[in-house]
Amino acid sequence: MNEEPFIDSFRLYLSEKAGIARSAFDGLKDTYVLKKIRKGTVLLEQSRVCSEVYFVAEGLLRAYTLDPSGKEHIIQFAPENWWLSDRNSFIYNEPSLFYMDAVEDSHVIALSRDFFDRASAVPGFSEFNVRALHKAVMLLQQRVNLLIGASAEERYLDFIRRYPNLTLRVPQWMIASYLGITPESLSRVRKELAVRNFKKP
């Protein structure tokens, strides 16, 4: 496997978002590993401690829970240039609330705790990491608010805004699971939006 394109995409991401120079990035190379993940591979099981943070260089991951009846409830999708982890489990060494797996064949950068410990000494990274955590909390709050009070259509439109390139990559039942509605309700919402857009002058 030619690792260079995937490592380069991660390096460029950190350069653009956190201002990390190539020399500093190269100094962290023993704290992360590139993994090729087959579709359907489970990266984390519920109740296990999350020991890695994943940066998606190519492909698509997701985090989800299972209710007592075995029904999946998708918490987050992570396409290219997104991060995925259970930060509470990762930071505090507690059992995870989530499962994580690959929706597509994927290439991910798996980051150890050592990466974050050492990267914190690199100028710009700590500020970037704090901003990323704050954004994650903000997005989670917005998501909870939508699930509590928004209509199915409003939830779907928010999904499109948040994940503009996923509607053709993700099965309809997964989108419905993320939205907290049935696949039949999602199909109805899509049809109503299509009719409304078709009638626009």
Side-chain angles (χ1 to χ4, degrees), residues 4-195:
E4 188 172 342
F6 306 111
I7 299 298
D8 274 349
S9 71
F10 181 50
R11 179 182 61 79
L12 289 171
Y13 177 91
L14 290 179
S15 175
E16 293 172 1
K17 301 293 185 180
I20 293 181
R22 180 159 199 153
S23 58
F25 179 81
D26 290 343
L28 298 168
K29 64 182 178 181
D30 61 331
T31 64
Y32 62 82
V33 62
L34 174 66
K35 294 184 176 182
K36 183 177 182 180
I37 310 297
R38 293 294 185 188
K39 178 180 178 179
T41 299
V42 176
L43 296 169
L44 177 67
E45 292 186 353
Q46 193 176 55
S47 300
R48 296 291 184 94
V49 173
C50 181
S51 61
E52 295 177 319
V53 173
Y54 300 105
F55 173 84
V56 183
E58 180 183 68
L60 179 62
L61 307 181
R62 64 171 179 154
Y64 62 96
T65 62
L66 292 178
D67 66 22
S69 70
K71 182 180 179 181
E72 293 183 3
H73 301 274
I74 296 176
I75 307 300
Q76 180 189 345
F77 291 104
E80 290 82 5
N81 291 339
W82 280 58
W83 302 78
L84 187 65
S85 184
D86 182 337
R87 286 295 187 103
N88 184 65
S89 176
F90 181 78
I91 294 172
Y92 297 108
N93 216 37
E94 295 183 352
S96 176
L97 300 175
F98 311 122
Y99 290 89
M100 294 191 294
D101 68 11
V103 180
E104 301 173 348
D105 289 345
S106 303
H107 288 88
V108 304
I109 311 295
L111 309 168
S112 67
R113 290 183 179 87
D114 195 33
F115 172 87
F116 291 91
D117 291 341
R118 287 167 52 182
S120 295
V122 177
F125 183 82
S126 289
E127 293 83 354
F128 159 76
N129 197 35
V130 169
R131 290 196 306 271
L133 289 172
H134 285 171
K135 184 176 180 180
V137 171
M138 178 192 71
L139 291 175
L140 182 59
Q141 289 176 331
Q142 291 175 350
R143 178 150 159 65
V144 169
N145 188 55
L146 284 167
L147 288 172
I148 291 173
S151 66
E153 180 178 308
E154 289 169 331
R155 295 182 207 177
Y156 180 61
L157 292 174
D158 178 77
F159 173 85
I160 294 173
R161 285 191 293 270
R162 188 170 299 192
Y163 301 111
N165 67 341
L166 291 195
T167 53
L168 298 180
R169 294 171 62 180
V170 177
Q172 180 161 298
W173 72 265
M174 284 193 184
I175 298 177
S177 172
Y178 175 86
L179 299 177
I181 61 178
T182 65
E184 292 76 18
S185 294
L186 175 57
S187 180
R188 183 169 60 252
V189 166
R190 282 177 156 174
K191 288 177 181 178
E192 290 172 355
L193 287 171
V195 169

